[in-house]
């Protein structure tokens, strides 16, 4: 590896261990790399601008705003009510309802922390009232967060599609089956937990109660139909779908459910802009860092080292997934994907991994990182909502983590899990 490559890789680990924010770390190292390579300094500005002008990234602020509007406008609350009405009478029904609500909201927001916040803020207290421990409720809310990154639309899928120059629509489809498998596994955990602790079931709802809950929440149920139906029906692109979703949420929240007040719009827009700014700042500087890394041919060198350890594709995939799980636990998803995209695509090509399968595998591994200490964003959100420490929540996470790791293994070693649906729908 070249001198510049050694400085960049070593500097990355040193600065992160020192606690320097990831965006500043990447920006500083990009500038150092350009200086050491004796490039014209104006290239730094050009790379930063290039990272901010990718059209597909416009979907990110749209889906962030849509998720915030749905939470504030009462759509998420009604999704939770429908799920509770339909599942509450089963063993572990309220816990299953939390999973179902997270699955539906994940099909709207595209974000793990947003899914945890929207559903957890309603359900953690309800679960505790009905006999579940508060730690279990917080762990469940943490674990459903990754469903927002697996089930389309998914913000990390959009970012990976841009980085790897792959179809975002196909990547969306690749996450559907893994997301449903994870949700099914969480429902099994819910049943076993409630059965072991003999948590009482809710009374079976009447047909009228079910119809009333669906009628009250029908506009919330239609949100993923509008967004995903428009994408796969060819009505609009994923980027346009984000804006349609935001507009739909705004109209329903203001004029149908009327939970959203005009005076609340400006603070809500500011909140969404702040979230977008943080993500875009990381993407921009990471784009520059990825460029200097690629110019030094570091991805191909790392892939050669990895492939030199073993030529067995099974073991290479195992090492790759272990690396992604560890990095997902200690790095921000966006910056990690931007930094590693060159390495991962090179290794994937060497072992004959389909690019769509690779993209789904990367995103789902980093989705698991959202629930894993020390940097699991969904874990932070659930801890804040529940009032419990990270350690208290983490003690209840292990069955959900086992489910997620099992899904990762299926995605890595059973191509049909991610490729069947994109292939079926073209």
């Amino acid at each position: 590896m070249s001198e510049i490559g050694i400085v960049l890789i070593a500097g990355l680990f040193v600065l992160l261990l020192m606690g320097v924010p990831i965006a500043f770390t990447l920006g500083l190292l990009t500038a150092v790399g350009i200086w050491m390579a004796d490039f014209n300094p104006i290239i730094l500005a050009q790379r930063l601008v290039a990272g901010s002008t990718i059209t597909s990234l416009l979907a990110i602020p749209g889906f962030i705003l849509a998720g915030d509007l749905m939470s504030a406008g009462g759509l998420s609350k009604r999704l939770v009510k429908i799920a509770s009405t339909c599942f509450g009478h089963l063993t572990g029904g309220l816990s299953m309802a939390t999973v179902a609500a997270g699955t539906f909201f994940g099909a709207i927001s595209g974000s793990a922390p947003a899914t945890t916040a929207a559903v957890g803020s309603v359900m953690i207290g309800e679960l505790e009232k009905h006999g579940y421990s508060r730690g279990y409720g917080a762990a469940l809310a943490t674990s459903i967060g990754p469903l927002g990154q697996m089930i389309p639309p998914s913000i990390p899928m959009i970012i990976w599609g841009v980085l790897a120059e792959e179809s975002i629509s196909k990547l969306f489809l690749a996450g559907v089956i893994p997301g449903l498998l994870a949700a099914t596994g969480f429902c099994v955990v819910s049943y076993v937990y409630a059965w072991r602790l003999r948590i009482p079931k809710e009374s079976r709802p009447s047909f009228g109660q079910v119809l009333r809950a669906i009628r009250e929440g029908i506009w919330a149920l239609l949100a993923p139909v509008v967004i995903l139906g428009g994408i796969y029906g060819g009505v609009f692109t994923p980027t346009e779908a984000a804006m349609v979703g935001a507009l739909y949420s705004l109209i329903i929240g203001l004029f149908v459910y009327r939970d959203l007040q005009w005076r609340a719009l400006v603070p809500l827009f500011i909140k969404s802009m702040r979230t977008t700014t943080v993500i875009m700042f990381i993407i921009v500087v990471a784009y520059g860092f990825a460029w200097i890394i690629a110019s030094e041919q570091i991805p191909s060198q790392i892939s050669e080292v990895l492939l030199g350890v073993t030529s067995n594709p099974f073991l290479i995939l195992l090492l790759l997934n272990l690396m992604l799980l560890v990095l997902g636990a200690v790095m921000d998803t966006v910056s990690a994907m931007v930094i590693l995209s060159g390495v991962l695509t090179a290794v994937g090509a060497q072992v004959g991994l389909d690019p769509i399968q690779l993209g789904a595998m990367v995103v789902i591994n980093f989705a698991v990182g959202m629930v894993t200490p020390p940097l699991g964003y969904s874990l932070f959100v659930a801890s804040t909502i529940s009032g419990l420490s990270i350690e208290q929540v983490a003690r209840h996470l292990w069955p959900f983590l086992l489910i997620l790791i099992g899904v990762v293994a299926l995605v890595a070693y059973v191509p049909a899990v991610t490729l069947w649906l994109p292939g079926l729908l073209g």
Side-chain angles (χ1 to χ4, degrees):
M1 188 177 293
S2 67
E3 181 183 349
I4 297 175
I6 294 172
V7 170
L8 293 177
I9 299 300
L12 180 65
F13 284 104
V14 170
L15 291 175
L16 289 176
L17 289 173
M18 290 173 61
V20 179
I22 184 66
F24 293 103
T25 295
L26 298 177
L28 176 62
L29 291 175
T30 303
V32 169
I34 288 174
W35 172 73
M36 291 183 66
D38 200 26
F39 291 136
N40 190 324
I42 199 172
I43 291 178
L44 176 60
Q46 290 173 340
R47 290 296 93 199
L48 297 181
V49 171
S52 65
T53 57
I54 302 170
T55 306
S56 299
L57 293 178
L58 286 172
I60 294 175
F63 282 123
I64 289 173
L65 179 59
D68 287 341
L69 285 168
M70 287 173 186
S71 295
L75 280 78
S76 59
K77 179 173 64 177
R78 285 165 176 83
L79 287 174
V80 169
K81 183 177 180 181
I82 293 171
S84 299
T85 303
C86 294
F87 294 95
H89 64 285
L90 303 173
T91 301
L94 198 61
S95 182
M96 294 180 189
T98 305
V99 176
T103 304
F104 271 104
F105 194 82
I108 300 171
S109 70
S111 165
T115 302
T116 294
V119 179
S121 59
V122 178
M123 293 303 295
I124 291 176
E126 286 298 312
L127 287 165
E128 187 177 25
K129 288 178 188 176
H130 289 80
Y132 297 84
S133 74
R134 194 167 185 82
Y136 172 87
L140 178 61
T142 301
S143 302
I144 62 173
L147 298 178
Q149 292 190 188
M150 297 183 200
I151 296 172
S154 163
I155 292 173
M157 290 285 193
I158 295 170
I159 296 170
W160 183 262
V162 171
L163 295 173
E165 299 181 355
E166 296 295 335
S167 166
I168 293 173
S169 296
K170 286 186 178 181
L171 286 168
F172 278 178
L173 286 173
V176 172
I177 293 177
L180 294 178
L181 287 173
T184 303
F186 294 162
C187 287
V188 172
V189 173
S190 300
Y191 177 87
V192 172
Y193 182 90
W195 176 76
R196 287 184 60 193
L197 296 184
R198 292 179 170 78
I199 293 174
K201 297 184 285 187
E202 297 292 299
S203 59
R204 183 181 293 272
S206 67
F207 183 68
Q209 288 175 312
V210 174
L211 280 183
R212 186 161 52 251
I214 293 175
R215 186 173 62 250
E216 291 174 359
I218 188 64
W219 294 105
L221 288 174
L222 286 175
V225 176
V226 170
I227 295 171
L228 299 179
I231 294 173
Y232 297 113
V235 180
F236 36 70
T237 66
T239 300
E240 293 164 342
M243 308 311 167
V244 170
L247 180 61
Y248 179 90
S249 307
L250 179 64
I251 292 172
I252 299 302
L254 282 174
F255 303 113
V256 179
Y257 291 150
R258 298 184 181 179
D259 286 9
L260 187 61
Q261 304 299 318
W262 287 99
R263 62 177 177 274
L265 289 181
V266 172
L268 191 146
F269 289 155
I270 292 173
K271 175 188 174 186
S272 298
M273 288 171 60
R274 284 175 175 165
T275 304
T276 301
T277 301
V278 170
I279 293 176
M280 290 304 298
F281 184 38
I282 293 173
I283 290 175
V284 166
V285 294
Y287 195 83
F289 184 77
W291 176 81
I292 192 68
I293 285 283
S295 70
E296 292 299 310
Q297 299 183 335
I298 294 173
S300 60
Q301 295 171 25
I302 294 177
S303 65
E304 287 174 6
V305 171
L306 185 60
L307 294 171
V309 174
T310 177
S311 59
N312 187 320
F314 183 92
L315 292 178
I316 291 172
L317 276 178
L318 178 62
L319 292 173
L320 200 59
N321 280 281
L322 288 174
M323 180 186 75
L324 291 172
L325 286 171
V326 171
L327 290 176
V330 298
M331 286 187 70
D332 172 80
T333 297
V334 176
S335 53
M337 286 198 299
V338 177
I339 293 169
L340 296 172
S341 58
V343 175
L344 296 173
T345 51
V347 174
Q350 289 288 332
V351 297
L353 205 61
D354 185 276
I356 299 299
Q357 181 187 2
L358 172 65
M361 188 179 77
V362 172
V363 170
I364 293 169
N365 268 289
F366 286 132
V368 177
M370 285 287 178
V371 308
T372 309
L375 294 181
Y377 289 169
S378 289
L379 183 58
F380 292 157
V381 171
S383 173
T384 302
I385 293 171
S386 65
L388 301 176
S389 67
I390 297 292
E391 293 77 11
Q392 288 173 307
V393 179
R395 278 200 294 268
H396 294 82
L397 272 175
W398 68 266
F400 303 107
L401 275 174
L402 288 177
I403 296 294
L404 289 170
I405 291 171
V407 171
V408 167
L410 286 174
V411 168
Y413 293 110
V414 184
V417 171
T418 51
L419 300 181
W420 178 74
L421 200 53
L424 182 67
L425 299 183

